[in-house]
Structures are given as C-alpha cells and as structure tokens.
Amino acid sequence: MKLFAGLATGLIFGAGLAASGMTDTAKVIGFLDVFGDWDSDLLFVMGSAVLTAAVGFQYILRKEKPLFALKFSLPSKTEIDKKLISGAVLFGTGWGLYGYCPGPAIAALGYLSPVTAVFVISMIAGMAMAGRIR
Amino acid sequence: MINFPVWAVAGGVLIGLSAVLLMWLIGRIAGISGIVWGAIAGEPGDKLWRLLFLAGLIAGALAFHSLTGRSVPVVNDNYPLAIIAGLLVGFGVKLGSGCTSGHGVCGMSRLSPRSFAATAVFMVFGIATVAVFNMLTGGSA
C-alpha cells in the first residue's frame, strides 16, 4: 500500500508540475523576474496548491492516524535557525540561476534532455555535500 | 499583467491534492527534496515508495504532455550554469530541510513558521538572483 501510495501521488504530482508550467525553466525565470517582464502565472500555482493542501490537511490531520501507516510523520522542529535560513538563501540563488527546483527537475527528466540530467546529478551531489557537514 | 491562468490553477490543485493524498494514505510530507534524499540515503525499508514516487513524477509529467498535446518545454543548454545551480539547489535544500514543495506547499499550508521563513527567503533570493543576472547579462535571459 505504501508503494501504491508513492506511485499514485507521484503521478498526480508530476502531472501537476507539467500542467502548471513549473517544469519550464524559462517560465519559472519569468515568474521570478518581478522587476522585468513578470509572468504572474506561477503565483496561481503556489496559491492553488497551498489552498488545496490547507483545506485537505485541515480534515486529515484531525484523524488519529493515516489510512495505511501508524502515524503522521510531521517535522518536529519549530526553531528558525541559521541552517534553515542559509539553506533557503543558497536554494533560492540556485533556483533563480537556472529555474529548476527539485520536483520539476526530476519530473523533467522524462523529457530526455541531457542538461536536465546534469542538473539532477549536480543537485544530488550538492545534497550529499550538505549531508556531510551535519 | 495578471490574467487568469487555467493550467496554472489546475496544476496547483493537482500538486495540493497529491500532498493531501500522501498524508492521508501513509502520513508523509510530499517534500520532493526529502523524498529524493530519502530514496538515496534513507532507511532500506523506506526507500522503495520514494523511488516509485519519483518514477511517478516523471511518468505523470510525460502523461500530461501526451494526453493534452501540450509541447514539452525547451531547455537552457548552458551546462556550467546547470551544474552550479544544481549544486546550490541540492546543498541549499538539504541544509534548509526543504524546497518549494516541502516548505512552500506542505509547510505553509500547515502554517509552519519555519516554512514561512524559508519560503520568504528562497523567494526573495530567487527574485534577486534573476534581477542581478539580467542586469549583468543585459536584459531577460
């Protein structure tokens, strides 16, 4: 069931990324280009995704446990620390440079452009480096 | 200029729906950076669903294009830029415990202060990076 849940939600998420335009780096850059020729579309992606999730989580997180797991695995940290902020600074910079964040980069692998694979490999290397300093 | 983008809203709803389903079914956060890292370095019994999620991500995107006939996006063939950006994104999301999906969608919709802070910071730096990049290279890339 865990495997089915993973595959099914992955499919929906991937279709959502492709539909939204998030897998198009030029569109993402256009969204971040608020001082230039701003493309507001992706604001609607974020808005509708957050609204949908907020409504859904309202109901679901009131339940005692998930359907096919013993508990909800939610992050327990509440402190806004240096790691969180410096991580977000680096991520935002990389996102603005090329236009991929992790989900769209993975989803776009299926388009079979070598440069996307190079991005994903670099991203995993970056994760491994950060994993080491912990 | 703001016009109403149907595909953007439809895509966002699908993303939100996926996050809700994953939480409802197996109690996990649909944060892609966490799922990627867990698929590589996580506990052995907890890897396969993540790999299937990532496979679904790829298949779902392809299915969208083939079902709707909407063309696949053109990529930017600047390899050095892709490598530098990839390293920054990977390092940053691991250090900051999340990306656009984990902090931006799942975290903000649960009203997590950490996620609001992270999202504000990566948005500001994404916007600033594009502004500086355009200034240095002269116009929109």
Side-chain angles (χ1 to χ4, degrees):
Chain A
M1 201 56 216
K2 205 156 125 186
L3 303 184
F4 168 78
L7 183 62
T9 53
L11 280 168
I12 299 170
F13 206 110
L17 287 173
S20 67
M22 290 288 292
T23 57
D24 182 350
T25 55
K27 193 162 179 71
V28 173
I29 300 281
F31 165 62
L32 293 173
D33 192 13
V34 292
F35 301 112
D37 189 12
W38 189 44
D39 176 350
S40 63
D41 285 6
L42 299 189
L43 199 61
F44 289 83
V45 179
M46 187 66 121
S48 56
V50 169
L51 270 179
T52 306
V55 172
F57 285 164
Q58 272 295 314
Y59 287 98
I60 284 158
L61 293 175
R62 262 188 238 156
K63 297 180 191 295
E64 215 167 291
K65 62 188 194 63
L67 279 181
F68 305 106
L70 297 175
K71 61 176 176 60
F72 292 110
S73 305
L74 296 170
S76 50
K77 271 194 206 167
T78 51
E79 189 197 351
I80 296 168
D81 54 10
K82 248 188 229 163
K83 264 187 187 170
L84 179 83
I85 300 301
S86 38
V89 167
L90 296 173
F91 164 45
T93 306
W95 190 33
L97 276 179
Y98 193 80
Y100 275 149
C101 51
I106 303 268
L109 282 175
Y111 304 160
L112 300 179
S113 301
V115 71
T116 304
V118 167
F119 181 95
V120 169
I121 292 165
S122 310
M123 179 177 89
I124 292 170
M127 288 179 174
M129 288 180 212
R132 216 161 269 195
I133 52 169
R134 295 207 155 192
Chain B
M1 210 200 306
I2 294 192
N3 49 354
F4 189 77
V6 176
W7 285 116
V9 172
V13 169
L14 285 174
I15 292 168
L17 194 67
S18 165
V20 170
L21 274 175
L22 191 63
M23 183 61 70
W24 184 46
L25 293 171
I26 61 172
R28 297 305 183 100
I29 296 269
I32 311 298
S33 49
I35 291 177
V36 170
W37 186 245
I40 294 167
E43 290 163 35
D46 214 27
K47 276 186 181 175
L48 196 53
W49 77 266
R50 297 170 194 258
L51 285 170
L52 285 169
F53 180 95
L54 298 173
L57 218 53
I58 296 171
L62 284 179
F64 171 80
H65 291 289
S66 67
L67 290 176
T68 60
R70 285 173 69 87
S71 59
V72 165
V74 179
V75 289
N76 174 356
D77 261 329
N78 187 337
Y79 280 83
L81 191 70
I83 292 171
I84 294 166
L87 286 169
L88 282 167
V89 167
F91 196 98
V93 296
K94 180 79 178 76
L95 192 67
S97 314
C99 56
T100 341
S101 49
H103 282 313
V105 177
C106 296
M108 292 216 299
S109 60
R110 293 190 307 116
L111 304 176
S112 152
R114 266 172 67 84
S115 291
F116 273 102
T119 306
V121 171
F122 68 64
M123 286 301 308
V124 165
F125 275 79
I127 289 166
T129 301
V130 170
V132 171
F133 191 92
N134 285 344
M135 212 151 57
L136 295 178
T137 59
S140 291

